[in-house]
């Protein structure tokens, strides 16, 4: 589907859902006297995101987005509670906020997946909840009635999630009065955004509205909410105050809460230019990287931040939410390190937490997992339970990951390309795709096509399509892991421009058909862990010993179906290997072209290893349960059987050993 058609296919179905009489009450307080719709707030951000219809994913990303759209993204609403219950589409079904949170994740993810694929069937399903919510407003208020006026369940965190779907639709050109509708909501109900758990995340949408209406009351409200949160010390803010953040120590907070909250000062900087906001945001992130990062690109978060041993894991929500946050840091700072982090997390932790048929995912996933079943959870939060099995709704009652996972790769696709205020175009994250945008001082419409097998290959070709020659700055990211990038234009080698904040800039006149070739040579590197383990990376990919999985399935009433069951994965393959000092392996490439590189990895590493017979799975955590993935052993004799192991990209696997004991 063309970008134009992907934009237009939404408009009629959404706009006809609401008539003027239904919308009018929502707009009551959207603008102060003297303000006008369409004013644009000044921004200090380095990059701007594009509407989703401007970007078309190709290659494996398109394949997986379409697979997601046609399987679990659509079927989740028929498969498992609470997604099969009319939250955001009827009266309250439970006396709590959290089912509304979980369904809101799915609505946003399904909307974004439909936007990036043009899948009308999926979009229609997501719009059912959106239409209902917009057409059943109570004055300017949207959503569950019992959250409206406070009380024990006063919580506007589900609104922050649900409204992301509305902002994505609006940015795509559908229902143009969404900024006014949401502005009216916030200005009519201003209390509580500085006190309750995650309520303050609504600052994200307040500022989105401010950018599109120019209403200064929204900016003031957002700043008040943030300052009230960090100074008022609600129970979940202990890790987000000046003393904790600038002290630089480990984090004890809940992973998702910290990720969602810590991005807000970066967004505030983008709309105020106040440097204290940006300093706070960067320091808050640095604590994650200093103390909690796992080798696959996501911090240890089960569910609070933890240590970084081979047994530490992460919740799938954290993969989605940390990459969502890092996208804001990317656009705000213009620093390519944030794109590096997003790629590493998506390609490794993200792909490693889902079944490649898009019919199941894990609640907790780990770089080392030699069993993934109903009773294999080795994490201390809840030893033995079903959170490491691959399921359509892996948390069951705690169903956040089942909805939130659907935002992960649509958000990646929507942020691959960005623009700059001087008419430039930014290749922020790599993968086969195309983008159409107006560039240069002349605002000339161009399309840039990106052809590549990245991250499985190191060469990227950009071809410009335009009606005539055009001058504009074209920024290309040079990842931090790449020491010797190479550049050519129309077949002629070009000296590498200076790399600034992870990007080079080609500010020149481009003729139609110009081809820019960027090569990013990938070097194999060893990663050493705190528990005397070793892992290997090459470019953005982490490599692992893939373990053949024997799958069995169970149908759990209310949570799964015969088509989307709970999947248990076991292996009979030997995995208990250690690795002695040896030269770094060389990257080996499979010359066969695979349509799905995540199912048939085209690259690998070969290492020499030694079996550790005494290293076995640990005792079950519950009666008749599975034995659990063990920690790295302390006793590591080097007298076992020698073997050569073929390591493949972590994201291609479900069962794996990524961190090996050093012997």
């Amino acid at each position: 589907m063309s970008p134009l058609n992907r934009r237009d296919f939404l408009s009629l179905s959404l706009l006809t859902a609401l008539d003027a009489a239904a919308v009018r009450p929502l707009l009551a307080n959207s603008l102060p006297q003297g303000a006008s719709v369409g004013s644009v707030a000044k921004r200090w951000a380095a990059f701007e995101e594009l509407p989703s219809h401007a970007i078309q994913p190709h290659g494996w990303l398109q394949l997986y987005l379409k697979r997601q759209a046609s399987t679990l993204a659509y079927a989740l609403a028929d498969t498992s509670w609470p997604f099969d219950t009319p939250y955001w589409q009827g009266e309250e079904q439970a006396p709590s906020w959290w089912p509304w949170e979980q369904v809101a994740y799915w609505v946003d993810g399904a909307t974004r997946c439909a936007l990036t694929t043009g899948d009308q069937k999926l979009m229609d399903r997501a719009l059912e909840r959106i239409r209902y919510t917009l057409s059943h407003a109570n004055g300017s208020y949207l959503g569950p009635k019992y959250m409206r006026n406070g009380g024990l369940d006063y919580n506007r965190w589900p609104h922050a999630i649900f409204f992301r779907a509305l902002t994505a639709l609006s940015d795509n050109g559908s229902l143009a009065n969404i900024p006014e509708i949401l502005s009216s909501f916030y200005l009519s109900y201003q209390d509580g955004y500085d006190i309750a758990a995650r309520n303050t995340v609504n600052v994200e949408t307040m500022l989105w509205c401010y950018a599109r209406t120019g209403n200064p009351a929204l900016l003031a409200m957002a700043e008040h909410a943030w300052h009230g949160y960090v100074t008022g010390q609600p129970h979940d803010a202990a890790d987000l105050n000046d003393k904790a953040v600038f002290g630089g120590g480990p984090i004890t907070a809940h992973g998702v809460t910290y990720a969602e909250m810590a991005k807000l000062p970066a967004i505030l900087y983008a709309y105020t230019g106040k440097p204290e906001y940006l300093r706070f945001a960067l320091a808050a992130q640095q604590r994650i990287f200093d103390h909690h990062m796992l080798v696959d690109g996501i911090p240890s978060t089960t569910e609070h931040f933890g240590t970084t041993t081979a047994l530490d894991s992460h919740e799938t929500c954290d993969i989605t939410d940390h990459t969502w946050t890092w996208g804001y840091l990317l656009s705000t700072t213009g620093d390519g390190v944030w794109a590096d982090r997003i790629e590493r997390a998506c390609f490794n932790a993200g792909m490693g937490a889902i079944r490649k048929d898009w019919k199941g995912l894990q609640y907790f996933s780990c770089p080392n997992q030699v069993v993934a079943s109903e009773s294999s959870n080795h994490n201390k939060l809840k030893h033995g339970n079903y959170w490491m099995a691959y399921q359509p709704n892996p948390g069951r009652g705690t169903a956040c990951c089942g909805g939130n996972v659907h935002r992960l790769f649509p958000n990646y696709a929507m942020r691959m390309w960005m623009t700059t205020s001087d008419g430039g175009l930014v290749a922020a994250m790599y993968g086969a795709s195309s983008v159409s945008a107006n560039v240069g001082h002349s605002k000339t419409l161009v399309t840039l096509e990106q052809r590549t097998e990245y991250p499985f290959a190191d060469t990227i070709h950009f071809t410009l399509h335009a009606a005539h020659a055009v001058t504009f700055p074209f920024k290309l990211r040079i990842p931090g892991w790449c020491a010797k990038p190479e550049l050519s234009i129309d077949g002629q080698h070009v000296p590498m421009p200076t790399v600034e904040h992870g990007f080079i800039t080609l500010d020149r006149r481009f003729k139609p058909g110009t081809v820019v070739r960027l090569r990013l040579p990938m070097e194999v590197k060893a990663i050493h862990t705190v528990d005397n383990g070793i892992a290997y990376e090459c470019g953005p990919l982490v490599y692992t010993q893939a373990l053949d999985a024997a799958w069995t399935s169970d149908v759990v009433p209310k949570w799964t179906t015969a088509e989307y069951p709970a999947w248990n994965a076991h292996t009979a393959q030997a995995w208990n290997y250690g690795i002695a000092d040896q030269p770094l392996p060389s990257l080996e490439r499979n010359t066969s072209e695979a349509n799905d590189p995540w199912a048939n990895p085209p690259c690998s590493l070969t290492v020499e290893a030694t079996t550790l017979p005494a290293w076995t799975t640990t005792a079950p955590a519950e009666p008749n349960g599975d034995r659990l993935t063990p920690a790295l052993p302390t006793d590591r004799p080097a007298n076992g059987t020698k073997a050569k192991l073929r390591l493949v990209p972590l994201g291609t696997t479900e069962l794996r050993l990524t961190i090996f004991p050093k012997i």
Side-chain angles (χ1 to χ4, degrees):
M1 184 175 286
S2 70
L4 180 63
N5 288 337
R6 284 203 301 124
R7 177 191 64 199
D8 292 347
F9 91 105
L10 299 170
S11 300
L12 183 61
S13 60
L14 184 55
L15 290 172
T16 56
L18 301 168
D19 59 26
V23 172
R24 195 174 300 115
L26 298 170
L27 303 178
N29 298 301
S30 61
L31 294 172
Q33 188 174 7
S36 60
V37 177
S39 59
V40 178
K42 183 177 180 180
R43 278 177 59 84
W44 280 261
F47 302 153
E48 292 281 353
E49 295 185 29
L50 286 157
S52 61
H53 67 257
I55 300 170
Q56 177 66 62
H58 301 300
W60 69 260
L61 183 56
Q62 181 187 57
L63 173 70
Y64 271 76
L65 285 168
K66 288 189 171 183
R67 186 176 296 170
Q68 174 187 345
S70 63
T71 53
L72 192 54
Y74 183 86
L76 190 60
D78 300 319
T79 301
S80 188
W81 188 90
F83 307 101
D84 61 354
T85 307
Y87 293 98
W88 301 99
Q89 198 176 352
E91 295 304 314
E92 292 83 358
Q93 303 296 317
S96 180
W97 58 266
W98 49 268
W100 298 86
E101 169 209 38
Q102 294 155 5
V103 173
Y105 277 136
W106 170 79
V107 171
D108 182 42
T111 298
R112 291 168 184 270
C113 189
L115 285 170
T116 56
T117 60
D119 191 303
Q120 182 69 62
K121 184 179 177 183
L122 179 60
M123 180 56 72
D124 287 343
R125 170 152 275 195
L127 287 177
E128 291 173 0
R129 318 249 180 173
I130 293 170
R131 289 191 187 108
Y132 181 92
T133 299
L134 291 175
S135 61
H136 287 74
N138 188 336
S140 295
Y141 180 79
L142 301 170
K145 294 178 182 177
Y146 71 92
M147 294 185 199
R148 179 181 180 185
N149 295 317
L152 292 177
D153 221 1
Y154 181 78
N155 196 308
R156 296 276 165 80
W157 159 238
H159 290 87
I161 307 169
F162 188 84
F163 289 169
R164 287 169 179 163
L166 304 184
T167 64
L169 287 168
S170 179
D171 285 343
N172 201 68
S174 298
L175 203 57
N177 53 9
I178 284 294
E180 289 69 51
I181 290 173
L182 297 184
S183 296
S184 182
F185 171 89
Y186 286 119
L187 295 175
S188 298
Y189 302 93
Q190 297 195 24
D191 295 332
Y193 294 105
D194 58 345
I195 55 172
R198 300 191 206 166
N199 271 16
T200 315
V201 177
N202 282 275
V203 165
E204 178 182 353
T205 312
M206 293 174 197
L207 293 173
W208 180 90
C209 294
Y210 168 65
R212 288 151 183 81
T213 66
N215 187 340
L218 291 162
L219 177 59
M221 186 179 177
E223 290 199 85
H224 173 79
W226 172 253
H227 287 295
Y229 181 86
V230 296
T231 60
Q233 289 303 294
H235 72 277
D236 59 348
D239 264 315
L240 280 171
N241 56 42
D242 285 354
K243 181 178 179 180
V245 167
F246 293 108
I251 305 166
T252 60
H254 183 266
V256 166
T257 301
Y258 191 92
E260 288 281 9
M261 296 299 303
K263 72 178 184 296
L264 299 180
I267 309 174
L268 281 163
Y269 168 79
Y271 292 103
T272 66
K274 296 178 181 178
E276 61 267 28
Y277 285 137
L278 187 56
R279 285 197 299 269
F280 189 103
L282 294 174
Q285 294 299 316
Q286 193 59 48
R287 296 172 70 198
I288 298 175
F289 310 135
D290 287 345
H291 301 289
H292 304 289
M293 287 301 294
L294 300 182
V295 298
D296 59 2
I298 286 293
S300 168
T301 44
T302 54
E303 291 186 357
H304 292 68
F305 283 93
T307 56
T308 58
T309 71
L311 212 57
D312 283 296
S313 309
H314 32 59
E315 182 187 349
T316 294
C317 276
D318 279 285
I319 306 172
T320 296
D321 290 333
H322 279 85
T323 53
W324 176 245
T325 286
W326 296 338
Y328 278 112
L329 270 294
L330 169 63
S331 63
T332 297
T333 66
D335 194 326
V337 67
W338 302 106
D340 293 357
R341 293 196 181 280
I342 295 169
E343 286 188 352
R344 187 181 184 97
C346 287
F347 299 158
N348 298 288
M351 289 301 297
I354 62 172
R355 274 177 55 102
K356 305 311 173 280
D357 59 5
W358 257 112
K359 290 192 173 184
L361 63 139
Q362 297 176 282
Y363 191 93
F364 287 160
S365 55
C366 187
N368 280 10
Q369 49 188 44
V370 301
V371 57
S373 73
E374 285 282 282
S375 58
S376 71
N377 182 22
H378 61 253
N379 295 283
K380 65 181 181 180
L381 179 66
K382 202 166 186 179
H383 287 299
N385 83 326
Y386 47 80
W387 283 349
M388 293 197 79
Y390 286 85
Q391 303 167 81
N393 181 2
R396 298 183 186 169
T398 310
C400 48
C401 296
N404 206 357
V405 71
H406 294 288
R407 304 174 57 238
L408 178 60
F409 285 103
N411 285 338
Y412 183 89
M414 294 166 75
R415 287 168 158 175
M416 294 175 74
W417 294 89
M418 296 186 180
T419 60
T420 60
S421 59
D422 59 353
L425 200 53
V426 183
M429 292 181 288
Y430 293 130
S433 61
S434 59
V435 61
S436 296
N438 296 313
V439 300
H441 297 298
S442 61
K443 301 297 182 185
T444 301
L445 178 64
V446 303
T447 296
L448 266 172
E449 179 186 5
Q450 181 181 169
R451 292 181 292 109
T452 183
E453 298 300 319
Y454 188 91
F456 302 97
D458 62 9
T459 302
I460 307 166
H461 293 88
F462 300 92
T463 303
L464 179 81
H465 303 281
H468 53 76
V470 58
T471 300
F472 68 98
F474 179 28
K475 288 184 174 291
L476 298 95
R477 188 178 109 256
I478 307 300
W481 47 258
C482 182
K484 298 179 180 179
E486 301 172 5
L487 182 69
S488 65
I489 300 178
D490 291 332
Q492 299 297 313
H493 173 76
V494 175
M496 184 62 57
T498 301
V499 179
E500 297 181 356
H501 304 295
F503 287 90
I504 59 170
T505 302
L506 305 179
D507 197 348
R508 54 172 286 153
R509 186 171 178 82
F510 294 90
K511 298 181 295 183
T514 295
V515 177
V516 176
R517 176 184 179 271
L518 177 66
R519 182 168 176 260
L520 302 171
M522 301 178 181
E523 298 179 6
V524 177
K525 300 175 183 178
I527 308 167
H528 301 279
T529 65
V530 296
D531 46 354
N532 200 25
I534 186 170
Y536 295 96
E537 64 183 3
C538 186
L541 297 178
V542 176
Y543 283 74
T544 189
Q545 180 193 9
L547 304 176
D548 294 334
W551 296 96
T552 59
S553 61
D554 299 310
V555 175
V556 184
K558 185 178 179 180
W559 308 113
T560 65
T561 64
E563 185 176 1
Y564 293 89
W567 295 95
N568 303 296
H570 298 85
T571 187
Q573 186 176 345
W575 55 266
N576 52 344
Y577 291 98
I579 292 181
D581 287 340
Q582 59 188 280
L584 289 173
S586 299
L587 185 67
E588 303 165 20
R589 299 196 180 276
N590 185 345
T591 56
S592 63
E593 294 186 7
N595 180 50
D596 181 356
W598 299 102
N600 299 289
C603 46
S604 62
L605 307 174
T606 299
V607 296
E608 295 183 357
T610 303
T611 58
L612 300 173
W615 187 30
T616 63
T617 52
T618 58
E622 56 190 45
N624 302 316
D626 274 322
R627 291 177 66 84
L628 308 180
T629 301
L632 297 190
T634 55
D635 184 21
R636 307 176 180 188
N639 55 1
T641 304
K642 307 294 183 183
K644 287 190 175 182
L645 303 181
R646 178 176 180 259
L647 309 184
V648 298
L650 186 155
T652 68
T653 67
E654 286 90 12
L655 296 182
R656 53 186 169 262
L657 194 76
T658 307
I659 302 171
F660 295 86
K662 289 190 286 189
I663 58 174

